[in-house]
Amino acid sequence: MNKEKIKVIIDTDPGVDDAACLVFALFDESLDIKLITTVSGNVNIHKNTRNMLHILDKFNLDYPVAKGCEKPMARESIHAEHIHSVEGMGGYIPKESNRPLHELDAVEAMYKVLNEGDGDIVVLLLGPQTNMGTLLQRHPDIAKKIPRIVFMGGSPYGLYGYPKHISFNISSDPEALKVVLESGIPLSMVPSDMGRNKAHLDEEYVMNKVKNVNAVGDFIFQMYDKYWEPGYPDKRVATNDTCAYIYLTNPEIFTHRKVDIDVDCEDMPGKTIIDFNDNGKYDFVTGVDKQKFLDLLEEKLKKFDDFKLN
């Protein structure tokens, strides 16, 4: 018997890690993608939206895309061109697209899609949570129609082995996460540590399992070639957003625990604080079977062996 597809809205800020994740997610037969929304993050909203449309053009796909918030809920925009490059896609230069956007902005498009659903559309947040926070402020009634949010971001302090930094997605708009946390919606948090330290791609994997495998592998490698994670003694590529997507579709290869989560919006904006609690409100991803994760990515990439890119 076929598993029922997961209905999902993908909110994204492409971004190398977003783009690499989307290559797999957009073709995933276990997902029923209802809407894609863009948000200011890795680069500005115009470039993020352009990048999203270009990915659809390049892969000849047709999904509705709604342009999202241009700046955080209560702060000035910050971006990460130093990681993702000026255009946002590493060593790959995207083209402009003539593809039309959704007639509504991202917040109203999300509201419409969720409101018309049966309360079974999961939201996958791959970037700053500005669109979701704004949606919940503008239309608080929609919370009851969202069964679950899976989000990438956060680098909790006080946990052995976690880098002592605040993750980009949360620090970009901590007020948005605060709204989401207070909404009562079930949340699954996939911390940035998962993609940087537990399921990262080392240089050998990238050179042997991505580069020259097929045309899609070469496309991903073009992005990765300018995206090596800074601050580590080895060459590695972070898989942050891919971890969040794979956790949604293949949770069995991850470990997780119940926690309570808070976010600092004042002293250290974006600092996420978690408290392990068997009766906690949220799921927190703690680990991954890395070999199964890498095998799954390899399997997904091999499916593109005869695929022709535009």
Side-chain angles (χ1 to χ4, degrees):
M1 181 180 294
N2 292 330
K3 286 199 310 184
E4 188 173 347
K5 290 190 174 187
I6 302 168
K7 298 175 184 176
V8 65
I9 292 173
I10 299 177
D11 189 70
T12 181
D13 61 334
V16 175
D17 54 339
D18 299 71
C21 166
L22 289 162
V23 167
F24 301 121
L26 296 175
F27 285 89
D28 194 320
E29 294 180 355
S30 71
L31 296 181
D32 178 5
I33 300 172
K34 299 296 187 183
L35 176 68
I36 299 170
T37 53
T38 61
V39 67
S40 177
N42 289 321
V43 286
N44 67 45
I45 188 61
H46 307 291
K47 290 181 179 179
N48 283 333
T49 305
R50 185 262 330 264
N51 293 352
M52 186 66 249
L53 296 178
H54 176 71
I55 291 167
L56 296 182
D57 287 343
K58 193 165 185 69
F59 285 84
N60 195 28
L61 293 168
D62 189 20
Y63 289 104
V65 176
K67 184 178 180 180
C69 295
E70 196 165 325
K71 55 183 290 188
M73 294 181 71
R75 298 174 184 271
E76 292 303 313
S77 298
I78 58 173
H79 304 300
E81 290 97 340
H82 63 293
I83 301 292
H84 297 268
S85 83
V86 173
E87 299 302 329
M89 294 180 71
Y92 178 84
I93 306 301
K95 297 177 182 177
E96 295 295 331
S97 174
N98 294 319
R99 185 182 293 258
L101 287 164
H102 197 289
E103 61 184 357
L104 300 174
D105 66 48
V107 172
E108 295 305 321
M110 291 170 87
Y111 182 69
K112 183 175 189 294
V113 169
L114 290 164
N115 214 28
E116 291 174 351
D118 295 323
D120 57 354
I121 302 174
V122 175
V123 181
L124 177 62
L125 302 178
L126 301 179
Q129 299 188 22
T130 312
N131 289 337
M132 180 54 60
T134 304
L135 170 65
L136 290 167
Q137 267 200 348
R138 194 182 296 176
H139 301 290
D141 59 298
I142 204 62
K144 65 182 182 293
K145 297 296 290 281
I146 304 174
R148 182 185 178 202
I149 292 172
V150 176
F151 72 90
M152 195 292 285
S155 182
Y157 281 53
L159 295 181
Y160 177 77
Y162 276 66
K164 298 294 185 183
H165 71 274
I166 300 170
S167 81
F168 175 81
N169 280 0
I170 307 306
S171 61
S172 296
D173 197 345
E175 286 79 13
L177 175 59
K178 192 78 169 177
V179 172
V180 174
L181 289 170
E182 292 171 353
S183 69
I185 300 168
L187 305 176
S188 295
M189 175 179 175
V190 184
S192 57
D193 173 70
M194 201 56 49
R196 285 195 173 99
N197 294 319
K198 292 188 170 71
H200 61 279
L201 308 182
D202 62 24
E203 184 178 14
E204 181 181 3
Y205 185 94
V206 172
M207 302 307 286
N208 295 326
K209 303 293 187 180
V210 179
K211 185 182 181 182
N212 296 330
V213 169
N214 52 37
V216 175
D218 287 342
F219 165 67
I220 295 173
F221 177 75
Q222 269 190 277
M223 295 191 294
Y224 281 173
D225 199 33
K226 302 291 185 184
Y227 183 65
W228 302 104
E229 191 70 16
Y232 288 89
D234 59 340
K235 290 184 75 172
R236 65 175 62 187
V237 166
T239 61
N240 300 3
D241 291 326
T242 302
C243 283
Y245 145 61
I246 297 293
Y247 180 65
L248 175 62
T249 59
N250 297 83
E252 70 279 358
I253 70 172
F254 293 85
T255 56
H256 60 96
R257 291 180 62 182
K258 285 290 185 182
V259 298
D260 289 318
I261 304 172
D262 198 4
V263 60
D264 189 341
C265 295
E266 297 179 4
D267 297 331
M268 296 184 69
K271 174 180 174 179
T272 46
I273 304 100
I274 68 166
D275 177 29
F276 290 111
N277 176 0
D278 289 342
N279 298 312
K281 297 178 184 177
Y282 313 114
D283 286 315
F284 175 76
V285 177
T286 55
V288 61
D289 185 321
K290 186 175 182 180
Q291 191 57 55
K292 288 183 179 178
F293 180 86
L294 296 178
D295 289 347
L296 189 57
L297 291 189
E298 186 177 353
E299 177 186 324
K300 288 177 180 293
L301 187 55
K302 289 294 288 181
K303 289 181 178 179
F304 289 105
D305 276 355
D306 299 318
F307 190 83
K308 304 297 182 186
L309 290 165
N310 286 337

